[in-house]
Amino acid sequence: MQKIYLLDTNIISELTKKVQNQNVVKKIFETQKLSALSSVTWAEALYGIKRLAEGKRKDTLSDFYINTIQSMYEFYDFDIHAASVYSDIKSRLEEVGKIPAELDLQIASVAIANNLILVTRNVQDFVFIKECSALMLENWFE
């Protein structure tokens, strides 16, 4: 099935919160077959878990991501096409003195390279990227 959405880390992590935004959780499950994750998002999520202190929360999150999230989604890599998009956008933004966060730019590049709508709560983090590219954004928290 053709994917439409690329979920950012802050969207997928909503499933692990004690108090969840029910609209976002509903949308995650409604669009599961139409959504994917990037390898960069996966790295961000795993890194966040690895930084936690040893204990039940870390074990629970690790288990949830490895055994549930990993099987729920197809993953799109930061591949040669995404790297080309990345280099183009980064050079354009540097020319005007705007430097986005590296991981955000990589995630956006994966979305653009695969013609996917990037779903994020942090739309502001992607404004400069959107201004100079074909990035499509949605915020399911609004």
Side-chain angles (χ1 to χ4, degrees):
M1 176 174 277
Q2 177 65 36
K3 303 300 179 189
I4 296 173
Y5 302 107
L6 188 71
L7 306 183
D8 196 6
T9 312
N10 55 51
I11 297 298
I12 204 68
S13 69
E14 195 65 22
L15 295 173
T16 66
K17 298 202 173 157
K18 289 180 183 171
V19 178
Q20 300 172 337
N21 180 309
Q22 291 305 307
N23 292 330
V24 172
V25 171
K26 181 180 178 203
K27 191 83 168 166
I28 288 170
F29 287 108
E30 286 176 350
T31 64
Q32 180 185 342
K33 292 183 189 223
L34 301 172
S35 299
L37 299 179
S38 75
S39 58
V40 180
T41 296
W42 188 244
E44 274 189 320
L46 294 181
Y47 172 69
I49 293 168
K50 289 181 188 295
R51 291 186 59 218
L52 294 173
E54 293 300 323
K56 183 174 168 116
R57 175 143 175 82
K58 182 176 185 174
D59 294 342
T60 301
L61 284 173
S62 182
D63 180 66
F64 179 72
Y65 272 84
I66 299 298
N67 295 315
T68 303
I69 298 297
Q70 191 172 4
S71 64
M72 284 174 64
Y73 292 101
E74 182 176 340
F75 287 79
Y76 285 73
D77 292 331
F78 182 77
D79 61 10
I80 194 163
H81 186 196
S84 178
V85 170
Y86 168 94
S87 66
D88 183 52
I89 294 169
K90 186 169 183 176
S91 65
R92 282 194 236 164
L93 289 175
E94 282 181 346
E95 286 176 8
V96 295
K98 297 181 178 169
I99 312 297
E102 285 293 316
L103 295 179
D104 290 342
L105 182 51
Q106 289 177 356
I107 292 167
S109 297
V110 171
I112 294 165
N114 292 284
N115 198 32
L116 299 170
I117 298 166
L118 177 58
V119 180
T120 183
R121 183 176 198 166
N122 301 333
V123 173
Q124 280 303 115
D125 293 347
F126 297 92
V127 167
F128 297 134
I129 299 169
K130 186 173 172 31
E131 288 175 357
C132 73
S133 71
L135 180 63
M136 300 174 284
L137 290 171
E138 280 190 22
N139 180 354
W140 291 350
F141 283 87
E142 294 181 337

PDB file of all heavy atoms in Angstrom, residues 65-101:
ATOM      1  N   TYR A  65       8.924  -0.286  21.765  1.00  0.00           N
ATOM      2  CA  TYR A  65       9.451   0.149  20.469  1.00  0.00           C
ATOM      3  C   TYR A  65       9.929  -1.044  19.628  1.00  0.00           C
ATOM      4  O   TYR A  65       9.613  -1.126  18.446  1.00  0.00           O
ATOM      5  CB  TYR A  65      10.577   1.179  20.642  1.00  0.00           C
ATOM      6  CG  TYR A  65      10.045   2.588  20.726  1.00  0.00           C
ATOM      7  CD1 TYR A  65       9.596   3.113  21.932  1.00  0.00           C
ATOM      8  CD2 TYR A  65       9.954   3.388  19.600  1.00  0.00           C
ATOM      9  CE1 TYR A  65       9.084   4.401  22.009  1.00  0.00           C
ATOM     10  CE2 TYR A  65       9.447   4.674  19.663  1.00  0.00           C
ATOM     11  CZ  TYR A  65       9.013   5.175  20.871  1.00  0.00           C
ATOM     12  OH  TYR A  65       8.500   6.442  20.935  1.00  0.00           O
ATOM     13  N   ILE A  66      10.661  -1.949  20.241  1.00  0.00           N
ATOM     14  CA  ILE A  66      11.207  -3.081  19.490  1.00  0.00           C
ATOM     15  C   ILE A  66      10.120  -4.069  19.078  1.00  0.00           C
ATOM     16  O   ILE A  66      10.101  -4.550  17.938  1.00  0.00           O
ATOM     17  CB  ILE A  66      12.300  -3.805  20.307  1.00  0.00           C
ATOM     18  CG1 ILE A  66      13.465  -2.865  20.615  1.00  0.00           C
ATOM     19  CG2 ILE A  66      12.777  -5.074  19.605  1.00  0.00           C
ATOM     20  CD1 ILE A  66      14.197  -2.329  19.407  1.00  0.00           C
ATOM     21  N   ASN A  67       9.206  -4.372  19.976  1.00  0.00           N
ATOM     22  CA  ASN A  67       8.223  -5.428  19.708  1.00  0.00           C
ATOM     23  C   ASN A  67       6.899  -4.930  19.131  1.00  0.00           C
ATOM     24  O   ASN A  67       6.149  -5.727  18.567  1.00  0.00           O
ATOM     25  CB  ASN A  67       7.962  -6.244  20.981  1.00  0.00           C
ATOM     26  CG  ASN A  67       9.197  -6.989  21.414  1.00  0.00           C
ATOM     27  OD1 ASN A  67       9.883  -7.596  20.598  1.00  0.00           O
ATOM     28  ND2 ASN A  67       9.511  -6.923  22.688  1.00  0.00           N
ATOM     29  N   THR A  68       6.609  -3.660  19.271  1.00  0.00           N
ATOM     30  CA  THR A  68       5.339  -3.145  18.753  1.00  0.00           C
ATOM     31  C   THR A  68       5.555  -2.158  17.607  1.00  0.00           C
ATOM     32  O   THR A  68       5.131  -2.410  16.480  1.00  0.00           O
ATOM     33  CB  THR A  68       4.509  -2.489  19.879  1.00  0.00           C
ATOM     34  OG1 THR A  68       4.308  -3.453  20.919  1.00  0.00           O
ATOM     35  CG2 THR A  68       3.166  -2.009  19.359  1.00  0.00           C
ATOM     36  N   ILE A  69       6.217  -1.051  17.886  1.00  0.00           N
ATOM     37  CA  ILE A  69       6.399  -0.010  16.865  1.00  0.00           C
ATOM     38  C   ILE A  69       7.141  -0.550  15.646  1.00  0.00           C
ATOM     39  O   ILE A  69       6.740  -0.314  14.510  1.00  0.00           O
ATOM     40  CB  ILE A  69       7.135   1.216  17.450  1.00  0.00           C
ATOM     41  CG1 ILE A  69       6.322   1.860  18.571  1.00  0.00           C
ATOM     42  CG2 ILE A  69       7.451   2.233  16.342  1.00  0.00           C
ATOM     43  CD1 ILE A  69       4.981   2.411  18.147  1.00  0.00           C
ATOM     44  N   GLN A  70       8.205  -1.292  15.877  1.00  0.00           N
ATOM     45  CA  GLN A  70       9.004  -1.800  14.753  1.00  0.00           C
ATOM     46  C   GLN A  70       8.190  -2.688  13.827  1.00  0.00           C
ATOM     47  O   GLN A  70       8.386  -2.686  12.615  1.00  0.00           O
ATOM     48  CB  GLN A  70      10.232  -2.545  15.279  1.00  0.00           C
ATOM     49  CG  GLN A  70      11.229  -2.877  14.200  1.00  0.00           C
ATOM     50  CD  GLN A  70      12.519  -3.429  14.765  1.00  0.00           C
ATOM     51  OE1 GLN A  70      12.666  -3.634  15.958  1.00  0.00           O
ATOM     52  NE2 GLN A  70      13.467  -3.691  13.897  1.00  0.00           N
ATOM     53  N   SER A  71       7.232  -3.417  14.383  1.00  0.00           N
ATOM     54  CA  SER A  71       6.412  -4.287  13.532  1.00  0.00           C
ATOM     55  C   SER A  71       5.201  -3.565  12.936  1.00  0.00           C
ATOM     56  O   SER A  71       4.597  -4.053  11.986  1.00  0.00           O
ATOM     57  CB  SER A  71       5.951  -5.512  14.321  1.00  0.00           C
ATOM     58  OG  SER A  71       5.102  -5.129  15.377  1.00  0.00           O
ATOM     59  N   MET A  72       4.858  -2.410  13.486  1.00  0.00           N
ATOM     60  CA  MET A  72       3.698  -1.661  12.991  1.00  0.00           C
ATOM     61  C   MET A  72       3.975  -0.879  11.713  1.00  0.00           C
ATOM     62  O   MET A  72       3.063  -0.582  10.956  1.00  0.00           O
ATOM     63  CB  MET A  72       3.221  -0.639  14.052  1.00  0.00           C
ATOM     64  CG  MET A  72       2.457  -1.222  15.210  1.00  0.00           C
ATOM     65  SD  MET A  72       2.095   0.032  16.487  1.00  0.00           S
ATOM     66  CE  MET A  72       1.014   1.163  15.621  1.00  0.00           C
ATOM     67  N   TYR A  73       5.247  -0.510  11.488  1.00  0.00           N
ATOM     68  CA  TYR A  73       5.557   0.439  10.429  1.00  0.00           C
ATOM     69  C   TYR A  73       6.623  -0.050   9.462  1.00  0.00           C
ATOM     70  O   TYR A  73       7.538  -0.785   9.835  1.00  0.00           O
ATOM     71  CB  TYR A  73       6.028   1.774  11.033  1.00  0.00           C
ATOM     72  CG  TYR A  73       4.922   2.486  11.757  1.00  0.00           C
ATOM     73  CD1 TYR A  73       4.833   2.439  13.141  1.00  0.00           C
ATOM     74  CD2 TYR A  73       3.938   3.171  11.058  1.00  0.00           C
ATOM     75  CE1 TYR A  73       3.803   3.075  13.810  1.00  0.00           C
ATOM     76  CE2 TYR A  73       2.902   3.802  11.719  1.00  0.00           C
ATOM     77  CZ  TYR A  73       2.846   3.747  13.091  1.00  0.00           C
ATOM     78  OH  TYR A  73       1.818   4.370  13.743  1.00  0.00           O
ATOM     79  N   GLU A  74       6.494   0.443   8.262  1.00  0.00           N
ATOM     80  CA  GLU A  74       7.558   0.328   7.273  1.00  0.00           C
ATOM     81  C   GLU A  74       8.519   1.471   7.564  1.00  0.00           C
ATOM     82  O   GLU A  74       8.109   2.550   7.994  1.00  0.00           O
ATOM     83  CB  GLU A  74       6.970   0.475   5.866  1.00  0.00           C
ATOM     84  CG  GLU A  74       7.960   0.321   4.754  1.00  0.00           C
ATOM     85  CD  GLU A  74       7.297   0.394   3.380  1.00  0.00           C
ATOM     86  OE1 GLU A  74       6.080   0.195   3.271  1.00  0.00           O
ATOM     87  OE2 GLU A  74       8.034   0.664   2.416  1.00  0.00           O
ATOM     88  N   PHE A  75       9.805   1.254   7.318  1.00  0.00           N
ATOM     89  CA  PHE A  75      10.814   2.268   7.572  1.00  0.00           C
ATOM     90  C   PHE A  75      11.420   2.752   6.267  1.00  0.00           C
ATOM     91  O   PHE A  75      11.732   1.951   5.389  1.00  0.00           O
ATOM     92  CB  PHE A  75      11.919   1.712   8.484  1.00  0.00           C
ATOM     93  CG  PHE A  75      11.467   1.550   9.900  1.00  0.00           C
ATOM     94  CD1 PHE A  75      10.696   0.462  10.278  1.00  0.00           C
ATOM     95  CD2 PHE A  75      11.787   2.492  10.852  1.00  0.00           C
ATOM     96  CE1 PHE A  75      10.257   0.311  11.585  1.00  0.00           C
ATOM     97  CE2 PHE A  75      11.355   2.362  12.162  1.00  0.00           C
ATOM     98  CZ  PHE A  75      10.589   1.269  12.525  1.00  0.00           C
ATOM     99  N   TYR A  76      11.584   4.065   6.161  1.00  0.00           N
ATOM    100  CA  TYR A  76      12.229   4.678   5.013  1.00  0.00           C
ATOM    101  C   TYR A  76      13.611   5.153   5.466  1.00  0.00           C
ATOM    102  O   TYR A  76      13.720   5.875   6.453  1.00  0.00           O
ATOM    103  CB  TYR A  76      11.416   5.863   4.480  1.00  0.00           C
ATOM    104  CG  TYR A  76      10.192   5.453   3.703  1.00  0.00           C
ATOM    105  CD1 TYR A  76       9.068   4.935   4.341  1.00  0.00           C
ATOM    106  CD2 TYR A  76      10.158   5.579   2.322  1.00  0.00           C
ATOM    107  CE1 TYR A  76       7.946   4.552   3.626  1.00  0.00           C
ATOM    108  CE2 TYR A  76       9.031   5.202   1.594  1.00  0.00           C
ATOM    109  CZ  TYR A  76       7.935   4.691   2.258  1.00  0.00           C
ATOM    110  OH  TYR A  76       6.824   4.308   1.546  1.00  0.00           O
ATOM    111  N   ASP A  77      14.627   4.740   4.722  1.00  0.00           N
ATOM    112  CA  ASP A  77      15.996   5.083   5.083  1.00  0.00           C
ATOM    113  C   ASP A  77      16.390   6.466   4.593  1.00  0.00           C
ATOM    114  O   ASP A  77      15.850   6.967   3.599  1.00  0.00           O
ATOM    115  CB  ASP A  77      16.970   4.062   4.487  1.00  0.00           C
ATOM    116  CG  ASP A  77      16.835   2.702   5.134  1.00  0.00           C
ATOM    117  OD1 ASP A  77      16.463   2.634   6.321  1.00  0.00           O
ATOM    118  OD2 ASP A  77      17.109   1.699   4.446  1.00  0.00           O
ATOM    119  N   PHE A  78      17.360   7.027   5.279  1.00  0.00           N
ATOM    120  CA  PHE A  78      18.043   8.221   4.778  1.00  0.00           C
ATOM    121  C   PHE A  78      19.025   7.696   3.731  1.00  0.00           C
ATOM    122  O   PHE A  78      20.155   7.338   4.028  1.00  0.00           O
ATOM    123  CB  PHE A  78      18.764   8.956   5.920  1.00  0.00           C
ATOM    124  CG  PHE A  78      19.450  10.213   5.470  1.00  0.00           C
ATOM    125  CD1 PHE A  78      18.719  11.363   5.227  1.00  0.00           C
ATOM    126  CD2 PHE A  78      20.818  10.235   5.279  1.00  0.00           C
ATOM    127  CE1 PHE A  78      19.353  12.528   4.806  1.00  0.00           C
ATOM    128  CE2 PHE A  78      21.461  11.391   4.856  1.00  0.00           C
ATOM    129  CZ  PHE A  78      20.727  12.538   4.617  1.00  0.00           C
ATOM    130  N   ASP A  79      18.522   7.585   2.502  1.00  0.00           N
ATOM    131  CA  ASP A  79      19.273   6.952   1.421  1.00  0.00           C
ATOM    132  C   ASP A  79      19.929   7.998   0.514  1.00  0.00           C
ATOM    133  O   ASP A  79      19.950   9.185   0.838  1.00  0.00           O
ATOM    134  CB  ASP A  79      18.366   6.009   0.633  1.00  0.00           C
ATOM    135  CG  ASP A  79      17.175   6.719  -0.015  1.00  0.00           C
ATOM    136  OD1 ASP A  79      17.137   7.984  -0.027  1.00  0.00           O
ATOM    137  OD2 ASP A  79      16.277   6.018  -0.509  1.00  0.00           O
ATOM    138  N   ILE A  80      20.411   7.557  -0.619  1.00  0.00           N
ATOM    139  CA  ILE A  80      21.133   8.453  -1.529  1.00  0.00           C
ATOM    140  C   ILE A  80      20.226   9.569  -2.067  1.00  0.00           C
ATOM    141  O   ILE A  80      20.662  10.701  -2.240  1.00  0.00           O
ATOM    142  CB  ILE A  80      21.818   7.652  -2.660  1.00  0.00           C
ATOM    143  CG1 ILE A  80      22.837   8.510  -3.383  1.00  0.00           C
ATOM    144  CG2 ILE A  80      20.791   7.049  -3.612  1.00  0.00           C
ATOM    145  CD1 ILE A  80      23.818   7.722  -4.218  1.00  0.00           C
ATOM    146  N   HIS A  81      18.958   9.255  -2.318  1.00  0.00           N
ATOM    147  CA  HIS A  81      18.029  10.277  -2.790  1.00  0.00           C
ATOM    148  C   HIS A  81      17.762  11.303  -1.691  1.00  0.00           C
ATOM    149  O   HIS A  81      17.792  12.514  -1.933  1.00  0.00           O
ATOM    150  CB  HIS A  81      16.731   9.625  -3.268  1.00  0.00           C
ATOM    151  CG  HIS A  81      15.771  10.581  -3.897  1.00  0.00           C
ATOM    152  ND1 HIS A  81      14.462  10.270  -4.093  1.00  0.00           N
ATOM    153  CD2 HIS A  81      15.902  11.847  -4.352  1.00  0.00           C
ATOM    154  CE1 HIS A  81      13.836  11.306  -4.642  1.00  0.00           C
ATOM    155  NE2 HIS A  81      14.699  12.268  -4.809  1.00  0.00           N
ATOM    156  N   ALA A  82      17.508  10.842  -0.469  1.00  0.00           N
ATOM    157  CA  ALA A  82      17.294  11.752   0.662  1.00  0.00           C
ATOM    158  C   ALA A  82      18.551  12.586   0.912  1.00  0.00           C
ATOM    159  O   ALA A  82      18.460  13.781   1.236  1.00  0.00           O
ATOM    160  CB  ALA A  82      16.898  10.972   1.906  1.00  0.00           C
ATOM    161  N   ALA A  83      19.725  11.979   0.751  1.00  0.00           N
ATOM    162  CA  ALA A  83      20.974  12.709   0.948  1.00  0.00           C
ATOM    163  C   ALA A  83      21.121  13.842  -0.069  1.00  0.00           C
ATOM    164  O   ALA A  83      21.602  14.935   0.261  1.00  0.00           O
ATOM    165  CB  ALA A  83      22.157  11.748   0.857  1.00  0.00           C
ATOM    166  N   SER A  84      20.682  13.600  -1.291  1.00  0.00           N
ATOM    167  CA  SER A  84      20.729  14.637  -2.328  1.00  0.00           C
ATOM    168  C   SER A  84      19.782  15.784  -1.980  1.00  0.00           C
ATOM    169  O   SER A  84      20.136  16.962  -2.103  1.00  0.00           O
ATOM    170  CB  SER A  84      20.366  14.019  -3.679  1.00  0.00           C
ATOM    171  OG  SER A  84      20.368  15.003  -4.677  1.00  0.00           O
ATOM    172  N   VAL A  85      18.578  15.440  -1.541  1.00  0.00           N
ATOM    173  CA  VAL A  85      17.599  16.461  -1.112  1.00  0.00           C
ATOM    174  C   VAL A  85      18.184  17.249   0.052  1.00  0.00           C
ATOM    175  O   VAL A  85      18.133  18.485   0.079  1.00  0.00           O
ATOM    176  CB  VAL A  85      16.256  15.799  -0.714  1.00  0.00           C
ATOM    177  CG1 VAL A  85      15.327  16.796  -0.055  1.00  0.00           C
ATOM    178  CG2 VAL A  85      15.597  15.154  -1.928  1.00  0.00           C
ATOM    179  N   TYR A  86      18.752  16.550   1.011  1.00  0.00           N
ATOM    180  CA  TYR A  86      19.350  17.157   2.197  1.00  0.00           C
ATOM    181  C   TYR A  86      20.418  18.183   1.806  1.00  0.00           C
ATOM    182  O   TYR A  86      20.417  19.314   2.292  1.00  0.00           O
ATOM    183  CB  TYR A  86      19.956  16.046   3.055  1.00  0.00           C
ATOM    184  CG  TYR A  86      20.847  16.504   4.167  1.00  0.00           C
ATOM    185  CD1 TYR A  86      20.344  16.699   5.448  1.00  0.00           C
ATOM    186  CD2 TYR A  86      22.211  16.708   3.961  1.00  0.00           C
ATOM    187  CE1 TYR A  86      21.174  17.100   6.489  1.00  0.00           C
ATOM    188  CE2 TYR A  86      23.037  17.109   4.989  1.00  0.00           C
ATOM    189  CZ  TYR A  86      22.520  17.303   6.252  1.00  0.00           C
ATOM    190  OH  TYR A  86      23.343  17.714   7.268  1.00  0.00           O
ATOM    191  N   SER A  87      21.337  17.775   0.931  1.00  0.00           N
ATOM    192  CA  SER A  87      22.434  18.674   0.554  1.00  0.00           C
ATOM    193  C   SER A  87      21.921  19.911  -0.170  1.00  0.00           C
ATOM    194  O   SER A  87      22.432  21.017   0.044  1.00  0.00           O
ATOM    195  CB  SER A  87      23.469  17.933  -0.288  1.00  0.00           C
ATOM    196  OG  SER A  87      22.914  17.540  -1.528  1.00  0.00           O
ATOM    197  N   ASP A  88      20.897  19.745  -0.979  1.00  0.00           N
ATOM    198  CA  ASP A  88      20.308  20.874  -1.694  1.00  0.00           C
ATOM    199  C   ASP A  88      19.673  21.870  -0.718  1.00  0.00           C
ATOM    200  O   ASP A  88      19.931  23.068  -0.770  1.00  0.00           O
ATOM    201  CB  ASP A  88      19.270  20.368  -2.699  1.00  0.00           C
ATOM    202  CG  ASP A  88      18.674  21.490  -3.521  1.00  0.00           C
ATOM    203  OD1 ASP A  88      19.441  22.279  -4.109  1.00  0.00           O
ATOM    204  OD2 ASP A  88      17.430  21.585  -3.563  1.00  0.00           O
ATOM    205  N   ILE A  89      18.859  21.349   0.197  1.00  0.00           N
ATOM    206  CA  ILE A  89      18.177  22.220   1.158  1.00  0.00           C
ATOM    207  C   ILE A  89      19.176  22.876   2.103  1.00  0.00           C
ATOM    208  O   ILE A  89      19.102  24.085   2.357  1.00  0.00           O
ATOM    209  CB  ILE A  89      17.113  21.435   1.955  1.00  0.00           C
ATOM    210  CG1 ILE A  89      15.990  20.992   1.026  1.00  0.00           C
ATOM    211  CG2 ILE A  89      16.561  22.275   3.102  1.00  0.00           C
ATOM    212  CD1 ILE A  89      15.028  20.007   1.654  1.00  0.00           C
ATOM    213  N   LYS A  90      20.117  22.103   2.603  1.00  0.00           N
ATOM    214  CA  LYS A  90      21.083  22.666   3.557  1.00  0.00           C
ATOM    215  C   LYS A  90      21.899  23.784   2.918  1.00  0.00           C
ATOM    216  O   LYS A  90      22.120  24.829   3.532  1.00  0.00           O
ATOM    217  CB  LYS A  90      22.003  21.576   4.103  1.00  0.00           C
ATOM    218  CG  LYS A  90      22.906  22.101   5.202  1.00  0.00           C
ATOM    219  CD  LYS A  90      23.625  21.011   5.944  1.00  0.00           C
ATOM    220  CE  LYS A  90      24.454  21.624   7.065  1.00  0.00           C
ATOM    221  NZ  LYS A  90      25.107  20.600   7.869  1.00  0.00           N
ATOM    222  N   SER A  91      22.327  23.593   1.676  1.00  0.00           N
ATOM    223  CA  SER A  91      23.109  24.643   1.013  1.00  0.00           C
ATOM    224  C   SER A  91      22.269  25.894   0.789  1.00  0.00           C
ATOM    225  O   SER A  91      22.763  27.014   0.965  1.00  0.00           O
ATOM    226  CB  SER A  91      23.702  24.130  -0.304  1.00  0.00           C
ATOM    227  OG  SER A  91      22.699  23.823  -1.235  1.00  0.00           O
ATOM    228  N   ARG A  92      21.002  25.721   0.424  1.00  0.00           N
ATOM    229  CA  ARG A  92      20.120  26.889   0.242  1.00  0.00           C
ATOM    230  C   ARG A  92      19.904  27.639   1.552  1.00  0.00           C
ATOM    231  O   ARG A  92      19.917  28.871   1.579  1.00  0.00           O
ATOM    232  CB  ARG A  92      18.767  26.459  -0.314  1.00  0.00           C
ATOM    233  CG  ARG A  92      18.792  26.168  -1.791  1.00  0.00           C
ATOM    234  CD  ARG A  92      17.396  26.101  -2.321  1.00  0.00           C
ATOM    235  NE  ARG A  92      17.232  24.816  -2.965  1.00  0.00           N
ATOM    236  CZ  ARG A  92      16.064  24.285  -3.283  1.00  0.00           C
ATOM    237  NH1 ARG A  92      14.956  24.907  -2.965  1.00  0.00           N
ATOM    238  NH2 ARG A  92      15.995  23.137  -3.887  1.00  0.00           N
ATOM    239  N   LEU A  93      19.680  26.907   2.621  1.00  0.00           N
ATOM    240  CA  LEU A  93      19.443  27.541   3.910  1.00  0.00           C
ATOM    241  C   LEU A  93      20.699  28.212   4.450  1.00  0.00           C
ATOM    242  O   LEU A  93      20.620  29.298   5.048  1.00  0.00           O
ATOM    243  CB  LEU A  93      18.889  26.529   4.920  1.00  0.00           C
ATOM    244  CG  LEU A  93      17.459  26.078   4.654  1.00  0.00           C
ATOM    245  CD1 LEU A  93      17.047  24.988   5.636  1.00  0.00           C
ATOM    246  CD2 LEU A  93      16.489  27.247   4.728  1.00  0.00           C
ATOM    247  N   GLU A  94      21.850  27.610   4.252  1.00  0.00           N
ATOM    248  CA  GLU A  94      23.101  28.230   4.697  1.00  0.00           C
ATOM    249  C   GLU A  94      23.353  29.549   3.986  1.00  0.00           C
ATOM    250  O   GLU A  94      23.866  30.491   4.585  1.00  0.00           O
ATOM    251  CB  GLU A  94      24.283  27.280   4.483  1.00  0.00           C
ATOM    252  CG  GLU A  94      24.368  26.207   5.530  1.00  0.00           C
ATOM    253  CD  GLU A  94      25.561  25.279   5.343  1.00  0.00           C
ATOM    254  OE1 GLU A  94      26.197  25.283   4.257  1.00  0.00           O
ATOM    255  OE2 GLU A  94      25.847  24.533   6.292  1.00  0.00           O
ATOM    256  N   GLU A  95      22.972  29.622   2.712  1.00  0.00           N
ATOM    257  CA  GLU A  95      23.150  30.863   1.943  1.00  0.00           C
ATOM    258  C   GLU A  95      22.394  32.030   2.567  1.00  0.00           C
ATOM    259  O   GLU A  95      22.814  33.172   2.448  1.00  0.00           O
ATOM    260  CB  GLU A  95      22.693  30.671   0.493  1.00  0.00           C
ATOM    261  CG  GLU A  95      23.642  29.853  -0.344  1.00  0.00           C
ATOM    262  CD  GLU A  95      23.115  29.603  -1.745  1.00  0.00           C
ATOM    263  OE1 GLU A  95      22.074  30.187  -2.139  1.00  0.00           O
ATOM    264  OE2 GLU A  95      23.747  28.805  -2.454  1.00  0.00           O
ATOM    265  N   VAL A  96      21.286  31.744   3.225  1.00  0.00           N
ATOM    266  CA  VAL A  96      20.486  32.811   3.843  1.00  0.00           C
ATOM    267  C   VAL A  96      20.645  32.827   5.369  1.00  0.00           C
ATOM    268  O   VAL A  96      19.885  33.494   6.075  1.00  0.00           O
ATOM    269  CB  VAL A  96      18.990  32.710   3.452  1.00  0.00           C
ATOM    270  CG1 VAL A  96      18.817  32.940   1.958  1.00  0.00           C
ATOM    271  CG2 VAL A  96      18.379  31.387   3.872  1.00  0.00           C
ATOM    272  N   GLY A  97      21.626  32.086   5.864  1.00  0.00           N
ATOM    273  CA  GLY A  97      21.939  32.121   7.291  1.00  0.00           C
ATOM    274  C   GLY A  97      20.968  31.397   8.197  1.00  0.00           C
ATOM    275  O   GLY A  97      20.865  31.715   9.382  1.00  0.00           O
ATOM    276  N   LYS A  98      20.254  30.430   7.670  1.00  0.00           N
ATOM    277  CA  LYS A  98      19.298  29.669   8.473  1.00  0.00           C
ATOM    278  C   LYS A  98      19.741  28.220   8.516  1.00  0.00           C
ATOM    279  O   LYS A  98      19.804  27.565   7.482  1.00  0.00           O
ATOM    280  CB  LYS A  98      17.899  29.798   7.895  1.00  0.00           C
ATOM    281  CG  LYS A  98      17.419  31.229   7.948  1.00  0.00           C
ATOM    282  CD  LYS A  98      16.040  31.412   7.422  1.00  0.00           C
ATOM    283  CE  LYS A  98      15.681  32.872   7.583  1.00  0.00           C
ATOM    284  NZ  LYS A  98      14.517  33.268   6.912  1.00  0.00           N
ATOM    285  N   ILE A  99      20.024  27.753   9.719  1.00  0.00           N
ATOM    286  CA  ILE A  99      20.535  26.396   9.874  1.00  0.00           C
ATOM    287  C   ILE A  99      19.571  25.579  10.725  1.00  0.00           C
ATOM    288  O   ILE A  99      19.477  25.790  11.930  1.00  0.00           O
ATOM    289  CB  ILE A  99      21.930  26.403  10.557  1.00  0.00           C
ATOM    290  CG1 ILE A  99      22.874  27.425   9.925  1.00  0.00           C
ATOM    291  CG2 ILE A  99      22.519  24.998  10.567  1.00  0.00           C
ATOM    292  CD1 ILE A  99      23.208  27.174   8.475  1.00  0.00           C
ATOM    293  N   PRO A 100      18.843  24.650  10.115  1.00  0.00           N
ATOM    294  CA  PRO A 100      17.937  23.796  10.902  1.00  0.00           C
ATOM    295  C   PRO A 100      18.726  22.715  11.642  1.00  0.00           C
ATOM    296  O   PRO A 100      19.881  22.436  11.315  1.00  0.00           O
ATOM    297  CB  PRO A 100      17.031  23.169   9.835  1.00  0.00           C
ATOM    298  CG  PRO A 100      17.892  23.125   8.620  1.00  0.00           C
ATOM    299  CD  PRO A 100      18.790  24.344   8.696  1.00  0.00           C
ATOM    300  N   ALA A 101      18.106  22.102  12.617  1.00  0.00           N
ATOM    301  CA  ALA A 101      18.723  20.983  13.325  1.00  0.00           C
ATOM    302  C   ALA A 101      19.001  19.862  12.325  1.00  0.00           C
ATOM    303  O   ALA A 101      18.170  19.590  11.441  1.00  0.00           O
ATOM    304  CB  ALA A 101      17.810  20.501  14.443  1.00  0.00           C
TER     305      ALA A 101
END
